[in-house]
Amino acid sequence: MGALLRAFWGMIPLTAIALPYALISWPLLTARRRRRTGIRHASATAAVDVSTATLGVLVVFLVVMPVGDADTSTLDLVPGADLSAALADDGSLWQVIGNLLMLCPLGALLPIRVRRLRSLSRIALTAMAASVLVEAMQFVIHSGRVSSTDDVLLNTLGATIGAALTRRGWRWLDLPPAPPPIPRQVRRTVCESPTLRMRVPRSVWDARYAGAGHPERR
């Protein structure tokens, strides 16, 4: 538990600060979208977008937040070495769980809004690229954390698991295709159409107006 608090102690106040902003942004974004898509769809998409943005900001802060008084970072490129140390008797299992859950919510939410990511393989590749960027940033800024290949694997696995859990609901917020517009129907009569009137023989016009009280036939 002590290792967990040392690694994630700063996330508690940051989360407490971010939640009110998220709760305020949700109805504002809903009100902006409701005229185009309806209140239910606007509220659902706004909730997913605000949650994704909030989680992304928290992940960035978690990456750049220093751990303890260390002013340097450790690089471990041997697969399995960091994981074995964490699972040892004197290791920290919470560190493994934290890496597994770090990108899991983003992996669950992104396919709902981004159609190109609606594939477990694409989610895995995207999460791997993001995790490599995160580990490289941790090593460059010397935040006192360990940048290892095991963290990349755990982050990728967590995002893939999150995407698999929401796979059935990926199309939940998709709007149905709009029906094609119906062309405006213009009703024309023989008298209203000059073209048709020119094609009618003179005898037909004479028979139509004969005896009808037309001033020209009196």
Side-chain angles (χ1 to χ4, degrees):
M1 184 63 68
L4 177 65
L5 293 177
R6 287 194 302 269
F8 302 101
W9 66 269
M11 297 305 298
I12 298 175
L14 287 176
T15 304
I17 295 174
L19 282 179
Y21 285 98
L23 294 177
I24 295 174
S25 301
W26 179 21
L28 293 177
L29 189 58
T30 300
R32 184 177 180 181
R33 295 177 177 178
R34 61 181 300 180
R35 297 181 179 179
R36 295 179 297 176
T37 60
I39 182 64
R40 293 184 178 180
H41 187 270
S43 178
T45 55
V48 174
D49 292 345
V50 170
S51 300
T52 304
T54 304
L55 291 171
V57 171
L58 292 177
V59 168
V60 172
F61 275 103
L62 178 62
V63 171
V64 301
M65 185 181 301
V67 178
D69 299 330
D71 56 353
T72 183
S73 298
T74 305
L75 183 63
D76 191 354
L77 299 179
V78 180
D82 190 45
L83 186 60
S84 300
L87 296 178
D89 294 337
D90 56 346
S92 175
L93 182 61
W94 291 108
Q95 189 71 23
V96 177
I97 298 176
N99 287 320
L100 191 63
L101 297 179
M102 188 173 70
L103 297 183
C104 183
L106 295 178
L109 294 176
L110 284 177
I112 298 177
R113 298 292 288 147
V114 183
R115 296 185 178 182
R116 294 184 178 181
L117 295 180
R118 290 178 179 176
S119 171
L120 294 182
S121 59
R122 293 182 180 180
I123 286 292
L125 291 176
T126 303
M128 182 178 295
S131 182
V132 169
L133 181 61
V134 165
E135 297 299 320
M137 185 182 300
Q138 287 180 350
F139 181 75
V140 170
I141 64 177
H142 299 292
S143 60
R145 299 179 182 273
V146 178
S147 300
S148 66
T149 56
D150 291 342
D151 292 346
V152 175
L153 296 177
L154 290 174
N155 295 155
T156 303
L157 179 60
T160 306
I161 293 175
L165 293 176
T166 61
R167 189 171 186 176
R168 293 185 178 182
W170 285 352
R171 301 181 182 276
W172 171 50
L173 296 179
D174 289 351
L175 287 174
I182 301 176
R184 184 178 180 182
Q185 301 293 328
V186 180
R187 185 176 181 182
R188 294 179 178 271
T189 61
V190 176
C191 297
E192 293 176 348
S193 177
T195 305
L196 293 176
R197 186 174 182 178
M198 293 176 60
R199 296 179 180 179
V200 177
R202 184 65 180 179
S203 59
V204 176
W205 287 99
D206 294 340
R208 180 174 181 178
Y209 290 105
H214 197 278
E216 297 181 358
R217 298 304 175 190
R218 290 183 178 178

